[in-house]
Amino acid sequence: MRSGPVRSFWLSFLLTLAVVMPVMGAFALYVAAFPQTARTEQIQSGVPINRPTEKNSLSLLAVSAGEEPAFLLVRLDAPEARFRLYVLPAETVVLSAEGPCTLAQAYETAGPARAAALLADTLQIPLEQYLAATPGVWAQAAEEAGTARLNLDGLLNGEEREALGLTESVLTLNGEGAAQLLASAQLEPDRLAGLRAGVWQAFARQNRESLGAAVSGVLRQNSGSLLTNLSGVDLYTLADTLDYLTEAEPEAQLMPGSWESRTGRYTLSEESVSLAQAEFGKAEESLSSSPAGNDGSSAQ
C-alpha cells in the first residue's frame, strides 16, 4: 500500500534533480568563467547605485561677510569629478553700468546678488547662485570638518611668518585656528587671498569624507542668518555633491590678476577670463539684468 506513494515521491525527486542540477552546473561554470560580470549583475540586481546628475553641479559666489568681506568663487561638478575654488581679493575690480567698482563695494551696496552679477559680467560666465555667511559660520563648518595641516612654504615668506610669530613651517589648524590666522595676517590683499586659498585647499583635501556633512549641516543650522538664493533642498544637495567628490582632488588658488598698491585695486587678467570660462562656461547673456538691489534671502 505504501510502495506506490513512496515510489512516486522518489520519482518526482529524481526528476527535479534532473532539471535543477544542469541549471546549477551551468551557473557555476558561468561564475567561474566570468566572475566579475556575475558579481556586477548581482550588485545591479540588488540596491540601485546612486550616481551624480546635473543637479550635482554648482557654480557659486561664496562670501565671508565680515567687516572686510572675503570672496570665493566655487565650481563643483560631481559628474566630471571637478572641485575648484578661486579666491578673489575684496579689492577685485568688476565692471558695472556706472563704471568700475570693487567686489567689496558691490557687496556693500546691494549684497551678494549684486557682487555675483557684476563678477559674472566681468568674467563673462554664468553665475546665478550666491551665499554669504559670517566668518564665524565658515569657521564652524571648518571646525566640524576636522583639522588640517597647512604647509606655509610658498604662502608666507620668512618676514611674514616672523610678523605672525610663527616659528614652524607646518601648522595644524582647526576652524578657529584658521580663522585667527587669516584675521591676524597683515598682508597685501593678493598675498592674503593666496593664504586664504591655501587654507581652503588644506581643509578640502584633508577632510573630504566629512566635508559634505559639515558644510551643509552648519549652513542649515544657520540658515536664518544666510544671505543666499540657495533653498533648503539645495543645501542638502550640496552635501550629496561634496560626498560624490570625495575621490576628486580639490584645487584652490588665487584668481590671476595684478595688485596696484597706489590705487588699492586688484585687476583681473585675461588669464582669469579664460580660466573662468573654461571652468564655468561662457555666459550666453548678461546676468546684470537681474535685480541688483536684492541682497539675498535666507534659506529655509
Side-chain angles (χ1 to χ4, degrees):
M1 297 293 291
R2 295 181 181 179
S3 60
V6 172
R7 181 180 299 175
S8 298
F9 167 78
W10 283 109
L11 181 60
S12 299
F13 178 72
L14 291 173
L15 288 173
T16 302
L17 287 180
V19 174
V20 172
M21 289 302 292
V23 175
M24 294 180 64
F27 180 73
L29 289 173
Y30 175 75
V31 171
F34 306 101
Q36 186 59 43
T37 303
R39 180 177 177 274
T40 301
E41 290 177 351
Q42 289 174 352
I43 293 175
Q44 291 178 343
S45 66
V47 179
I49 300 173
N50 292 325
R51 300 184 185 280
T53 64
E54 279 302 313
K55 72 177 183 179
N56 299 115
S57 294
L58 176 72
S59 298
L60 171 76
L61 180 66
V63 185
S64 179
E67 293 183 7
E68 297 182 4
F71 298 87
L72 185 69
L73 191 55
V74 180
R75 177 59 178 166
L76 304 178
D77 189 347
E80 296 296 328
R82 298 183 68 80
F83 189 153
R84 298 291 185 267
L85 306 173
Y86 299 96
V87 179
L88 297 126
E91 296 79 5
T92 298
V93 176
V94 290
L95 306 177
S96 72
E98 296 78 22
C101 66
T102 67
L103 274 177
Q105 290 170 337
Y107 177 79
E108 291 167 1
T109 299
R114 177 65 171 171
L118 295 187
L119 181 61
D121 283 348
T122 301
L123 295 174
Q124 301 171 42
I125 60 173
L127 183 63
E128 299 177 352
Q129 295 173 306
Y130 53 85
L131 185 153
T134 65
V137 170
W138 294 118
Q140 183 185 352
E143 189 82 22
E144 292 288 336
T147 61
R149 287 172 59 83
L150 178 66
N151 190 335
L152 298 175
D153 292 338
L155 298 176
L156 296 174
N157 58 36
E159 183 178 341
E160 291 166 342
R161 292 184 199 177
E162 185 178 351
L164 289 169
L166 301 176
T167 58
E168 299 180 355
S169 60
V170 178
L171 304 177
T172 298
L173 301 171
N174 56 15
E176 182 180 356
Q180 290 176 352
L181 173 65
L182 294 171
S184 60
Q186 300 299 312
L187 304 170
E188 295 284 7
D190 57 334
R191 296 285 295 167
L192 180 59
L195 177 61
R196 191 179 300 276
V199 171
W200 272 105
Q201 179 166 282
F203 274 91
R205 283 186 173 181
Q206 297 170 39
N207 298 285
R208 302 181 202 188
E209 298 293 336
S210 58
L211 195 63
V215 173
S216 175
V218 169
L219 291 177
R220 285 185 282 109
Q221 291 170 19
N222 294 275
S223 61
S225 66
L226 304 180
L227 295 178
T228 184
N229 60 353
L230 296 178
S231 67
V233 173
D234 292 332
L235 295 179
Y236 278 104
T237 302
L238 174 61
D240 292 337
T241 300
L242 288 170
D243 287 343
Y244 282 127
L245 288 169
T246 54
E247 298 300 321
E249 187 73 9
E251 296 288 347
Q253 68 176 80
L254 170 67
M255 187 62 85
S258 58
W259 165 249
E260 175 56 61
S261 57
R262 183 180 61 84
T263 60
R265 298 290 179 94
Y266 185 79
T267 304
L268 297 174
S269 64
E270 287 296 327
E271 182 184 355
S272 290
V273 177
S274 300
L275 181 62
Q277 292 181 7
E279 291 288 354
F280 294 82
K282 188 171 183 179
E284 296 181 359
E285 59 184 48
S286 172
L287 298 177
S288 61
S289 58
S290 60
N294 179 16
D295 62 353
S297 57
S298 296
Q300 300 297 323

